[in-house]
Amino acid sequence: MLNLAPQHDVVGIYRPRNPQTSAYFRCVQDHFEQLQMLWNDRYASRCGFWRPYVTDVIYRYLECGDLHFGFARVRCQDCGHEYLLAYSCKRRHFCPSCHQRRVVEFGEWLCTQVLESVPHRQWVFSIPKRLRIYFLFNRKLLAKLSRCAWKVLSAYLKQAVPFDDAVPGAAIAVHTFGEFQQFNPHLHLIVTDGCFLRESTTACPGCCTFTKALGTTAKDLEELFRYEVLKMLKAEGKISDAVIENLLSWHHSGFNVYCGPTIWPNNDQGLEDLARYIIRACFSQERMTYIADRDTLDGQAKVIYRSKDGRTSKTFEALDWLAQMVTHIPNKSEHMVRYYGYYSNKSRGMRKKAGTDEQVPALIESDLSSKALRRNWARLIQKIYQIDPLLCPKCLGSMKVISFIEDDALIKKILIHLGLWETRNHDPPKSNDTHIPTIETELTYDYTYSQLPPIDYWTQ
């Protein structure tokens, strides 16, 4: 029989994810309890103290996408087909799925609500290895590091404009990771390639004018950035004059500043891609391979992580790799992106209050319409994967969320009825022979709220 269903632009039918089947999930589930037990003895001296918020993030991640912790019911309005959509944990930098959604939302929000229709550039500021440890043990220094970069860059850009109150704009994202997840604090910036002029300096009061900078050279900023960072660390009591003298004697300072090419206002996709890039996740699930302890010769679980270009790889003990991963989890309410100058929260609030926030800067042609609201969950999924989560897989009709199920008793009743309720045993974490006494009797942990089955039950 021919399928006469209407054609759609999307290339596939949405299938709710099952994170419990991933290598990353299995690695976290197998080792996070042991990691927490061994942290003070094995990792505290080089990774800092164990933060209670990390425990909350890990537990929430292990519940992410699991129907046993609540779900929404999604039903087709035409044929009545229905599936259950599990809740997400919404934890950034540790849950790959939730962070990816955040990346897409941020890219759209930044380009539609913050960045103006003017030329922009990407800048990257990095520091030498010797100084990174101070930022690992005191994460508040990361905010001060971004202010050092802004102070240097804003002064540099203002030199290109013959007005004292000209101001550039910047969004600065803090990264704490390197190629193989080692702690490497550095900054990614999206900065206007020039300065905005205040209304008092323009010939047309009420108009917004932008002047492009000329001849930007990243090398010019390295020495000044080094000066600002060393001054800040000394003021914080982290380094002494002797350390500063030693650092200044290096032939290669270890400080580096990179400046990318100009991104023009008509390149919307390029700017949005850059906005996503500056808050990307610290690792890629596709580049990791997890080998459980039962499958290794020495009985130690391993993680093999490949470089971005695929040419090299590095093998870690699973505990060591997981220890590196948790150092990149921000504290609760810690801002990893900050806005300065024309893009600061204060400046945007004042323009919104004055009714000039939608104003397109003069001298730059733009088709920019009124800024759209943040896209909803369905549109985001469709944009990322080119599939529609509200397209019925049976009749290609329109689906919608009809209820949210959060009561534990009702969750269990529904899942038992559907044959999806499972009770699984979880082995206790390995003991540390030198610090944790072993228990002779056999132990099993009964996890009432278990993982999802690997089948795609919603297609049956």
Side-chain angles (χ1 to χ4, degrees):
M1 181 181 295
L2 294 177
N3 183 2
L4 300 179
Q7 297 299 314
H8 293 261
D9 293 334
V10 293
V11 297
I13 300 298
Y14 174 67
R15 298 288 186 267
R17 61 193 175 86
N18 188 2
Q20 290 80 3
T21 61
S22 69
Y24 178 61
F25 183 94
R26 289 185 284 111
C27 178
V28 175
Q29 184 185 54
D30 290 348
H31 300 287
F32 83 95
E33 293 171 312
Q34 185 185 11
L35 176 68
Q36 188 172 359
M37 289 192 304
L38 301 181
W39 187 271
N40 289 338
D41 297 321
R42 185 180 297 185
Y43 301 107
S45 60
R46 53 191 171 99
C47 297
F49 65 91
W50 179 266
R51 295 172 287 158
Y53 182 64
V54 169
T55 304
D56 175 70
V57 169
I58 293 176
Y59 275 111
R60 290 293 299 273
Y61 166 69
L62 293 175
E63 298 173 2
C64 185
D66 192 333
L67 292 173
H68 295 76
F69 296 94
F71 49 82
R73 293 176 58 194
V74 184
R75 176 182 293 172
C76 177
Q77 302 179 72
D78 297 328
C79 70
H81 174 70
E82 182 177 331
Y83 69 81
L84 307 182
L85 181 67
Y87 293 148
S88 59
C89 67
K90 299 180 176 64
R91 291 301 179 264
R92 50 186 175 148
H93 293 278
F94 194 78
C95 176
S97 177
C98 292
H99 189 81
Q100 178 59 22
R101 174 179 172 179
R102 176 182 172 83
V103 165
V104 176
E105 288 179 327
F106 176 80
E108 292 187 344
W109 176 81
L110 189 70
C111 292
T112 59
Q113 301 292 323
V114 178
L115 303 183
E116 299 289 351
S117 185
V118 299
H120 291 83
R121 286 182 186 265
Q122 178 193 15
W123 293 77
V124 182
F125 288 73
S126 56
I127 61 176
K129 290 183 179 179
R130 181 171 180 177
L131 301 179
R132 296 173 187 173
I133 188 69
Y134 303 116
F135 298 87
L136 173 61
F137 281 81
N138 184 358
R139 296 186 65 91
K140 292 182 179 179
L141 295 178
L142 294 171
K144 297 181 183 295
L145 182 65
S146 67
R147 284 197 289 271
C148 290
W150 168 246
K151 183 177 180 179
V152 171
L153 188 54
S154 62
Y156 181 72
L157 291 175
K158 288 177 182 179
Q159 301 304 310
V161 181
F163 296 100
D164 294 336
D165 57 355
V167 58
I172 302 182
V174 177
H175 285 202
T176 60
F177 52 90
E179 177 71 16
F180 290 103
Q181 282 65 59
Q182 69 275 19
F183 191 82
N184 176 17
H186 59 285
L187 307 171
H188 286 259
L189 300 79
I190 298 180
V191 185
T192 56
D193 194 17
C195 294
F196 296 92
L197 304 183
R198 305 288 188 185
E199 292 182 5
S200 59
T201 63
T202 63
C204 177
C207 294
C208 179
T209 304
F210 180 85
T211 300
K212 190 179 183 303
L214 299 175
T216 52
T217 305
K219 201 69 178 176
D220 296 341
L221 280 68
E222 286 185 9
E223 186 174 345
L224 187 55
F225 179 58
R226 176 177 64 174
Y227 171 80
E228 291 293 339
V229 172
L230 296 181
K231 183 175 72 172
M232 179 270 292
L233 290 176
K234 181 182 177 181
E236 292 292 324
K238 302 302 180 182
I239 58 177
S240 63
D241 289 333
V243 173
I244 293 176
E245 289 180 9
N246 179 261
L247 290 169
L248 293 177
S249 68
W250 292 3
H251 181 66
H252 298 289
S253 70
F255 289 86
N256 185 65
V257 178
Y258 163 81
C259 177
T262 300
I263 301 176
W264 293 94
N266 57 358
N267 188 1
D268 294 334
Q269 189 59 52
L271 192 59
E272 187 171 336
D273 289 344
L274 176 57
R276 295 183 188 183
Y277 178 78
I278 70 170
I279 66 160
R280 69 189 187 278
C282 62
F283 83 108
S284 169
Q285 290 190 92
E286 290 73 20
R287 288 159 54 191
M288 73 164 287
T289 302
Y290 172 60
I291 306 174
D293 49 10
R294 61 181 176 274
D295 298 323
T296 60
L297 296 177
D298 59 1
Q300 297 291 330
K302 308 290 184 185
V303 170
I304 302 173
Y305 197 79
R306 297 179 296 279
S307 62
K308 187 174 182 180
D309 58 13
R311 297 178 181 178
T312 59
S313 64
K314 189 173 181 179
T315 302
F316 303 84
E317 285 192 14
L319 278 176
D320 294 342
W321 189 80
L322 196 55
Q324 284 191 172
M325 286 293 299
V326 301
T327 64
H328 306 307
I329 298 176
N331 291 323
K332 188 175 183 179
S333 303
E334 179 182 356
H335 295 290
M336 301 303 287
V337 181
R338 293 175 173 83
Y339 307 92
Y340 295 93
Y342 194 82
Y343 294 154
S344 68
N345 294 334
K346 180 179 178 180
S347 295
R348 288 188 284 120
M350 292 175 63
R351 292 196 299 275
K352 185 175 182 180
K353 185 177 181 180
T356 61
D357 193 38
E358 299 287 339
Q359 194 175 73
V360 178
L363 305 182
I364 300 293
E365 296 182 1
S366 173
D367 315 320
L368 194 63
S369 60
S370 60
K371 297 176 180 177
L373 297 175
R374 293 174 63 184
R375 301 184 181 181
N376 59 22
W377 167 75
R379 294 185 66 193
L380 287 173
I381 295 295
Q382 185 172 350
K383 183 169 185 177
I384 300 170
Y385 301 110
Q386 295 299 304
I387 54 180
D388 187 352
L390 297 183
L391 180 67
C392 178
K394 298 293 186 180
C395 69
L396 300 185
S398 176
M399 305 186 76
K400 69 176 183 178
V401 176
I402 60 172
S403 63
F404 297 94
I405 309 300
E406 298 178 348
D407 179 73
D408 291 342
L410 185 56
I411 290 171
K412 184 174 182 179
K413 183 177 180 180
I414 293 174
L415 294 185
I416 289 177
H417 175 73
L418 296 175
L420 300 175
W421 181 268
E422 294 187 1
T423 301
R424 297 182 180 179
N425 291 329
H426 174 58
D427 293 333
K430 290 184 178 181
S431 62
N432 181 6
D433 295 336
T434 59
H435 296 283
I436 301 174
T438 58
I439 301 177
E440 300 296 331
T441 58
E442 182 180 357
L443 294 177
T444 57
Y445 288 178
D446 183 8
Y447 272 29
T448 303
Y449 298 116
S450 65
Q451 304 172 32
L452 287 173
I455 61 172
D456 290 336
Y457 59 88
W458 46 83
T459 60
Q460 296 180 347

